[in-house]
Each structure stands twice: as C-alpha cells, then as structure tokens.
C-alpha cells in the first residue's frame, strides 16, 4: 500500500516507534489497575454482628466470672454455614446454656436470632479499610458490591462506544488525551506489517504488567481511599505527555488532512534520524502516492458501514463475539479472586505472571500458525481448561488452581491475538470504530460475567460450565474470519474488498527458526 511505502521512507521501526510504544504501555498498566481495583478496594473482610458482650465495655464489665472472648462469642453469635461465627445473625439474648459442656452448639432455635441491627465488626488484619466495611455492603446489602462493578464497567462500555467513533471523526490523539480506551491500537498505524505483532504484543503486555502492579500496590496500600488515589494520580502524568503523542498520519491523509499528515511524517523522520528523507516529502508527493486511498477515503464511513458492507459484516459480527467471550470469561473469573483463595495479592500477581509467557508465546506462534488458527485455538483452550475444572473435586485445590491459571493464560493469549487481528481486519477509516465496537462487546461480556456466579446456588459447577462454553463456541466461530498474516493494513473499504478477492491465493509461509521478527 502507498502509506506503507511512505512509512518505510521515514522509518517504520525506529526511535519514534519505541518512544510511542513506551508512552502507551505506561497508561495501559495503570488502566489495568483501575479494572482490577475492586478486588482490593471492595474486598469483603471477615465480619460478624456487633454484640454488647464483645464490643461494649460497660456490658463486658457485667459478665459474671472470667469468660474469655471465645466463650462470649459462642453465646452471642450462632455458628454459620462454614461452622465459623455467622456473618449476618446474632442471638437476641446471650445463650448462657451453650457454656454447659453437655450442651451441643446446635442447641438453639432460629427464633432466638435476629439480624445485625447494630452493625458489624470487621476483621481489619488484612485491609484497614474497604468500601464494603465502610458502607456495610454485606448480608442484605451484598448485592450492591457487584452492582458497583457493573456500573463501572457500563461506564467503560459507553466510553468504548463513544470514543471509537469519535476518534475516527476527530483524530486519535485528541481522543487519546481524554481517554486511553483505544490506545493499544493507535500505535499500530505507525508500524510496518513486519513489526506490527511485536509492537501490539508489547502493548498487550502492559495489561499483564498492570496485573502484577495491582497486586504489588494493593499489598503495600491497605486503605481503599489511599489505594484509589495511588492508582489514579499517574494519569495526570499521562495526560501531560499525551500532547506529545503523534496523531496518526495514516488517518490524517485518508481524511484529507494533508498538511498535518506531512508535518507528522516529517517529525517522525527527524526523530528516527531520517530528516533528509522527510524533507523530500511534499504535499504533491503525498497526493501522488495516495491518490486512490484519498479518493476512497472521502466517502462517509460509519458504524452502519461495518454492518452493511458484505466484506465487513461477517468480520464485525465474529470479532465482536470473540471480544464478548474475552470480557465475559476474564472479568467473570478475575473480579472475584476471593472465590479462589485467601491470598488475593498472590493470586493477582500470578494472573499477570502467567499472562506474560502466554502472550510472548503467542507472538512466537503467530508467524507459524497465522492469526486465525491461533486466535481460535487460544479461545478454545481457555474454555476447555475451565470446563475441565468442573470435573475436578474441590479437595484437589492445586489442580483446580493450575487449570484456572492455564485457562486465564489462554484468555491472555486470545487477547493478544484479538488486539492484533481486529486492527488488521478493518480499514483505517473504520478501524477505531470497529475497535470501539469490539470493546463494547468486551465490556458487555464483562458486565454479564460476574453475576454468573449466582448460578452456583443451583449447582456448584454451573458457573464454570457457562464460563467455559462461551469461549469454546466463540473460538470455533473465529475460524470463519479471513487470514491477515503478512498483509498490509487496509486503508479503505475497497482495500478490504480487494483482500477478500485475493484471499484464495494467500498461503501461510513456513516457520523458519531465525528471522523471528518477520511477521
């Protein structure tokens, strides 16, 4: 394509691309901490009802004899389902008869209990403060916690819907300054087809590093308000340097901004040490080199175009399904770490650690297997690992954890594939709109994912059955997409249609051991 030749002239993988990638990976890491924040800021600490004999010094002074805390707890709080103190009930009156060694702990009636009318007492050994403890989001109010997660993810969904289309109309940098939802794809338009998978994998690794960062920061900051501040302040720095980021020259040229596009190309040439090559570029050169793309780029393009155009309709539907499966599975599992173990800090870090080799391995396999088969295989593998856990007894905790981590690793590999694949499937004039639609689908899945755990009241394996089936089915649907390996990024809808006509002649090359950057 014409733009790829212009990009080679000013440098398609140089100092500018390195700086641009680093500048985008940093906010990706902090965006990830925002997504995972409620695992810690809204963690549910152990709790019990407030009772006078344990929590009121005046009442304690009237207790006959020298009764210890355990004895006072036994006569004040009934046992719960896990044989520990009940978290939502207390005795109306102290059950002194339970102190008799000949009386069993079950020698009481439900009529003797009442809800926690005076509030709760929380275990603050792990977290000094969480939103759950501050606003008593437990017992009858426990549904408010997942509701807050859904509200947050719904806000991200709206942002994905608005910002994807807006960035196609008004530019990548302007929208990026106010929102980092599309930043993972913005850098793609400044790289060549050979370097594209490497750059996009580095961007997706930002999410993995963000997972590790979240676990480390939360381990050091145990107060929810301070934790929220710590993971939010870095965005001020990102806001400041976002004005340095280059606007997509490809988008500027396609949408008629020739003068600004020329300035950006010359700027990139200077940063990459090719100032002389940049000085040879003129408006006339750009018009001559991109005459076909410029004429095609003037036609209006919108979300409706993605659905009406035959060459784009199937790509839009299937890619949206795959992004839905990612959001549904990943957020359904990752936003409830307390369901997998007591050390949620370690679990959070392990999610990121497992994600890193999964994504690097995906990068190495993209050259051998191509986009389509690896994309499908990663989703199917993730689903099968989750489904396998339905057959493993709960007593085999190590095996269940290993399968869960392997499944999340498959989801991470699928994310890398989808990030690269989605951007290659759609033309420049519609790319960010398509990415915004994909993110809408992912966030829609994320909103629907966490409530699936409520199905556990009907059967303990039912949530995992749902979480595993969705990625398997969507992975099989991904086989309907065309292969895009080694193809240049399409600039116009006509380019996509031309690729569709040539796809029968496209063959995946071999897999040499060396030259691993030739993707």
């Amino acid at each position: 394509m014409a733009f790829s030749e212009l990009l080679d002239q000013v440098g398609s993988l140089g100092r500018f691309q390195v700086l641009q990638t680093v500048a985008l990976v940093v906010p990706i890491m902090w965006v990830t901490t925002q997504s995972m924040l409620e695992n810690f800021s809204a963690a549910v600490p152990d709790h019990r009802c407030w009772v006078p004999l344990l929590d009121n010094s005046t009442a304690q002074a009237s207790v006959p004899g020298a009764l210890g805390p355990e004895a006072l707890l036994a006569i004040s709080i009934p046992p719960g389902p896990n044989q520990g103190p009940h978290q939502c009930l207390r005795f109306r009156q102290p059950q002194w008869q339970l102190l008799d060694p000949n009386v069993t702990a079950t020698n009481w009636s439900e009529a003797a209990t009442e809800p926690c009318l005076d509030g709760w007492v929380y275990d603050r050994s792990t977290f000094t403060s969480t939103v759950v403890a501050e606003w008593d989001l437990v017992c009858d109010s426990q549904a408010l916690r997942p509701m807050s997660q859904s509200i947050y993810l719904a806000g991200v969904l709206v942002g994905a819907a608005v910002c994807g289309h807006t960035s196609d109309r008004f530019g990548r940098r302007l929208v990026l300054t106010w929102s980092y939802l599309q930043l993972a794809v913005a850098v793609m338009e400044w790289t060549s087809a050979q370097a594209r998978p490497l750059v996009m994998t580095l961007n997706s690794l930002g999410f993995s590093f963000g997972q590790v960062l979240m676990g480390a920061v939360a381990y050091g900051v145990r107060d929810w308000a301070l934790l929220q501040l710590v993971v939010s302040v870095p965005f001020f720095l990102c806001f400041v340097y976002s004005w340095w980021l280059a606007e997509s020259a490809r988008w500027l040229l396609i949408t008629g901004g020739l003068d600004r596009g020329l300035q950006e190309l010359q700027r990139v040439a200077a940063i990459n040490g090719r100032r002389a090559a940049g000085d040879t570029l003129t408006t006339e050169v750009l018009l001559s080199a991109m005459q076909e793309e410029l004429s095609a780029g003037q036609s209006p393009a919108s979300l409706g175009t993605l659905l009406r155009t035959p060459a784009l309709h199937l790509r839009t539907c299937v890619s949206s399904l795959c992004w839905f499966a990612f959001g549904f599975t990943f957020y359904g599992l990752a936003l409830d770490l307390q369901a997998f173990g007591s050390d949620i800090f370690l679990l959070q870090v392990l999610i990121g650690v497992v994600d890193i080799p999964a994504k690097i391995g995906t990068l190495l396999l993209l050259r051998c297997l191509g986009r389509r088969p690896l994309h499908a295989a990663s989703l199917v593998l993730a689903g099968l690992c989750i489904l396998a856990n339905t057959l493993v007894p709960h007593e085999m905790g190590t095996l269940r954890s290993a399968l869960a981590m392997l499944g999340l690793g498959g989801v991470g590999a699928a994310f890398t594939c989808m990030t690269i694949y989605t951007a290659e499937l759609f033309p420049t004039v519609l790319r960010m709109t398509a990415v915004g639609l994909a993110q809408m689908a992912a966030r829609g899945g994320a909103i629907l994912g966490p409530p699936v755990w409520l199905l556990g009241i009907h059967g303990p394996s039912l949530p995992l059955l749902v979480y595993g089936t969705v990625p398997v089915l969507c992975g099989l649907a991904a086989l309907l997409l065309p292969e895009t390996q080694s193809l240049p990024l399409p600039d116009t809808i006509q380019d996509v249609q031309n690729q569709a006509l040539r796809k029968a002649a496209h063959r995946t090359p071999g897999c040499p051991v060396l030259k691993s950057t030739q993707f």
Side-chain angles (χ1 to χ4, degrees):
M1 303 297 291
F3 183 81
S4 62
E5 297 173 359
L6 293 173
L7 192 58
D8 288 337
Q9 186 173 343
V10 301
S12 61
L13 186 60
R15 184 184 305 162
F16 167 79
Q17 283 77 12
V18 173
L19 293 175
Q20 186 93 338
T21 300
V22 172
L24 293 175
V25 167
V26 171
I28 286 177
M29 293 171 56
W30 290 105
V31 166
T32 304
T33 64
Q34 293 287 335
S35 298
M36 298 292 105
L37 183 62
E38 287 202 14
N39 271 325
F40 307 95
S41 65
V44 182
D46 289 336
H47 54 278
R48 60 168 176 80
C49 293
W50 185 96
V51 292
L53 291 182
L54 286 169
D55 307 303
N56 184 288
S57 56
T58 303
Q60 289 177 354
S62 63
V63 175
L67 295 179
E70 293 185 1
L72 295 176
L73 181 65
I75 65 176
S76 302
I77 305 290
N82 59 354
Q83 299 308 311
H86 204 290
Q87 296 183 328
C88 300
L89 295 176
R90 69 180 183 181
F91 289 123
R92 297 178 185 272
Q93 299 294 332
Q95 304 295 299
W96 300 104
Q97 76 277 6
L98 296 179
L99 295 177
D100 188 340
N102 297 321
V103 176
T104 63
T106 58
N107 191 20
W108 55 273
S109 65
E110 292 188 8
T113 64
E114 64 181 3
C116 302
L117 301 179
D118 297 311
W120 289 261
V121 175
Y122 296 93
D123 178 9
R124 301 185 184 274
S125 60
T126 302
F127 296 98
T128 59
S129 174
T130 72
V131 295
V132 171
E134 184 154 339
W135 286 291
D136 292 332
L137 304 182
V138 294
C139 299
D140 292 340
S141 299
Q142 62 182 336
L144 295 177
R145 179 176 178 266
M147 183 183 299
S148 67
Q149 294 177 336
S150 296
I151 292 174
Y152 167 78
L153 292 170
V156 178
L157 185 151
V158 173
V162 174
C163 294
H165 181 67
T166 304
S167 60
D168 275 336
R169 293 288 301 274
F170 302 107
R172 274 56 162 162
R173 191 185 70 175
L174 178 62
V175 177
L176 181 63
T177 300
W178 303 103
S179 171
Y180 281 95
L181 292 172
Q182 275 78 34
L183 82 175
V185 176
V187 70
M188 280 203 61
E189 299 176 357
W190 278 112
T191 55
S192 64
Q194 289 75 23
R196 191 184 309 146
L198 175 61
V199 172
M200 291 308 297
T201 299
L202 291 176
N203 274 275
S204 67
L205 282 175
F207 292 94
S208 307
F209 297 142
Q211 301 277 1
V212 178
L213 178 64
M214 181 72 261
V217 173
Y219 184 81
V221 182
R222 304 298 181 93
D223 179 88
W224 76 267
L226 183 58
L227 179 61
Q228 180 74 66
L229 180 64
V230 168
V231 299
S232 299
V233 167
F235 286 100
F236 287 103
L237 174 62
C238 297
F239 171 82
V240 172
Y241 76 67
S242 67
W243 294 100
W244 171 86
L245 296 174
E247 179 58 272
S248 168
R250 185 190 294 265
W251 175 83
L252 288 171
L253 297 179
I254 292 297
T255 55
L258 290 177
D259 291 335
R260 286 192 60 198
L262 176 60
Q263 293 175 3
E264 295 290 5
L265 285 169
Q266 291 175 336
R267 175 190 173 197
V268 171
I271 295 176
N272 284 341
R274 299 189 179 187
R275 186 180 297 273
D279 291 340
T280 63
L281 297 177
T282 63
T283 303
E284 291 73 20
V285 171
L286 298 184
L287 284 171
S288 175
M290 300 193 66
Q291 183 176 2
E292 179 182 351
E293 290 84 352
L294 290 173
S295 60
Q298 301 304 317
S299 58
S302 64
L303 179 60
T305 307
L306 288 173
L307 301 176
R308 291 193 303 265
T309 305
L312 297 175
H313 175 74
L314 180 63
R315 300 182 182 202
T316 302
C317 293
V318 175
S319 64
S320 296
L321 282 175
C322 293
W323 278 98
F324 174 88
F326 162 75
F328 180 83
T329 305
F330 178 79
Y331 285 98
L333 297 176
L335 282 182
D336 195 10
L337 293 184
Q338 286 184 303
F340 293 96
S342 58
D343 192 346
I344 60 176
F345 305 103
L346 179 60
L347 287 174
Q348 183 68 76
V349 171
L350 286 178
I351 291 176
V353 170
V354 170
D355 209 32
I356 293 173
K359 290 177 177 177
I360 294 177
T362 300
L363 174 64
L364 299 176
L365 290 173
L366 279 172
R367 175 66 174 91
C368 305
L369 303 180
R371 275 54 163 168
R372 180 176 60 185
L374 188 58
H375 177 35
S378 58
L379 280 174
V380 172
L381 174 63
L384 291 178
C385 290
I386 297 171
L387 290 174
N389 247 340
T390 63
L391 305 176
V392 179
H394 285 273
E395 294 75 19
M396 302 178 66
T398 302
L399 179 57
R400 289 178 63 86
S401 298
L403 287 173
M405 289 298 170
L406 187 58
L408 287 172
V411 173
F415 177 79
T416 300
C417 291
M418 287 187 292
T419 304
I420 298 171
Y421 203 11
T422 302
E424 293 179 342
L425 286 171
F426 298 96
T428 300
V429 293
L430 282 168
R431 183 167 299 121
M432 296 307 285
T433 299
V435 170
L437 181 62
Q439 290 186 349
M440 282 182 62
R443 298 307 173 184
I447 292 172
L448 296 176
V452 170
W453 284 108
L454 299 176
L455 295 175
I457 62 176
H458 303 291
S461 299
L462 196 54
L464 292 179
L465 186 63
V466 176
Y467 286 133
T469 302
V470 170
V472 168
L473 294 179
C474 292
L476 295 176
L479 296 174
L480 300 174
L481 294 172
E483 180 58 70
T484 60
Q485 183 182 2
S486 300
L487 296 179
L489 283 177
D491 285 325
T492 66
I493 297 175
Q494 185 62 46
D495 290 338
V496 175
Q497 294 172 336
N498 292 340
Q499 287 181 359
L501 294 175
R502 294 194 299 265
K503 71 177 183 179
H506 178 72
R507 294 292 184 269
T508 302
C511 182
V513 176
L514 300 178
K515 300 182 180 180
S516 60
T517 60
Q518 294 183 1
F519 288 86

